[in-house]
């Protein structure tokens, strides 16, 4: 599919109908929920599920009606309990590398979506599940959330970016502790360490996620998406180049109709109506 051609919501619904392990459902104006749906194995990620996730992200990228994406796992026990161990057990070294590359590419695609992506961690987020959550723009956790990279217990290393993203998010020392002990962090600790932005009772997690996503969806689409690009691209640049990038993008934002409307609305004392 050509990812440049926008599709409407009906076409998007039709395209997603064939998936076995991924659901993509509207929740509110501009807000969609992507669910990893393999509850019998705590939503573990095998190659087929990653392939469907990849297709789902392509669809999100070319559906302009989707302005904020929420990501969660099916059921009340797990977000995603990791890469599928039964699947990985059969892989040779080279196939293991290809599996890691598949996961990395899909998570990078998620990270690079134009729209903001919020992880709703509703239980275990382990290994590939923690890596999936960390590839989202930020994390909201349920009180029963558990985060960890337990790969050392399986005699392997993280494979979908965990050693790199966890280090960037919680710092080298804490990442080393978590990666080498395989211990799980509960939601309160994840909040304290800045991995999760907020913690809610499980029954309230989706509602709170939708509420926050709706707030974002009412803002200027172009400003939100350019801001995401700045944060994503800037974090790996030195400060001088990152600031040059920000001034370039700031200038670019002056060319948008939303800039006209946003500033006019402020000066006229009314609410902006963004395009
Ligand atoms: N892969 C495959 N199947 C899994 C799974 C996984 N990652 N996690 C859970 N399951 C399956 C279990 O085998 C079990 O299946 P059966 O009912 O057929 O026996 C079912 O899900 C329910 O799991 P449990 O009975 O184990 O549930 P529990 O409540 O006793 O324990 C748990 C929950 C602590 C999350 C435990 O399931 C667990 O430790 N899972 C594995 C976590 C893990 O090691 N994840 C990292 C994988 S490696 C990785 O992800 C590498 C990478 O970076 C890419």
């Amino acid at each position: 599919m050509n990812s440049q051609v926008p599709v409407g919501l009906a076409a998007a619904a039709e395209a997603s109908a064939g998936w076995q392990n991924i659901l993509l459902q509207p929740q509110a104006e501009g807000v969609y929920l992507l669910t990893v749906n393999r509850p019998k194995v705590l939503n573990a990620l095998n190659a087929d599920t990653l392939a469907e996730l990849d297709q789902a992200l392509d669809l999100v990228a070319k559906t302009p009606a989707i302005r904020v994406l929420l990501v969660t796992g099916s059921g009340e026990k797990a977000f995603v309990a990791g890469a599928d161990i039964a699947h990985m057990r059969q892989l040779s070294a080279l196939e293991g590398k290809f599996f890691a590359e598949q996961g990395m590419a899909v998570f990078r695609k998620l990270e690079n979506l134009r729209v903001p992506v919020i992880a709703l961690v509703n239980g275990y987020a382990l290994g590939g599940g923690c890596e999936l959550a960390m590839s989202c723009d930020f994390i909201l956790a349920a009180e029963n959330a558990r985060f960890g990279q337990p790969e050392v217990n399986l005699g392997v290393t993280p494979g979908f970016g965990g050693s790199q993203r966890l280090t960037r998010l919680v710092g080298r020392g804490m990442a080393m502790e978590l990666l080498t002990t395989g211990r799980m962090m509960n939601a309160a600790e994840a909040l304290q360490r800045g991995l999760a932005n907020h913690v809610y009772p499980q029954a309230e997690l989706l509602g709170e996620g939708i509420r926050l996503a709706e707030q974002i969806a009412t803002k200027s689409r172009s400003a939100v998406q350019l801001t995401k690009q700045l944060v994503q691209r800037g974090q790996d640049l030195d400060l001088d180049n990152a600031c040059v990038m920000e001034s370039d993008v700031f200038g670019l934002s002056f060319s948008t109709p939303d800039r006209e409307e946003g500033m006019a609305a402020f000066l006229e004392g009314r609410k902006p109506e963004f395009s």
Side-chain angles (χ1 to χ4, degrees), residues 126-137:
L126 302 176
C130 189
E131 291 163 319
L132 174 62
M134 291 190 294
S135 302
C136 299
D137 291 306

Side-chain angles (χ1 to χ4, degrees), residues 40-42 44 77 81-86 88 124 126-128 131 149-151 154 157-160 184:
K40 284 188 180 150
V41 288
L42 306 186
K77 202 167 161 184
D84 188 320
I85 298 168
M88 288 190 294
Y124 291 110
L126 302 176
E131 291 163 319
Q149 296 288 158
E151 287 87 346
L154 301 169
T157 67
F160 296 165
M184 293 185 212

Side-chain angles (χ1 to χ4, degrees), residues 9 42 53 66 72 102 111 126 128 134 149 177 206 224 234 269:
L9 291 177
L42 306 186
L53 184 53
I66 302 178
T72 197
Q102 183 190 13
E111 206 162 40
L126 302 176
M134 291 190 294
Q149 296 288 158
E177 181 188 320
L206 177 60
V224 165

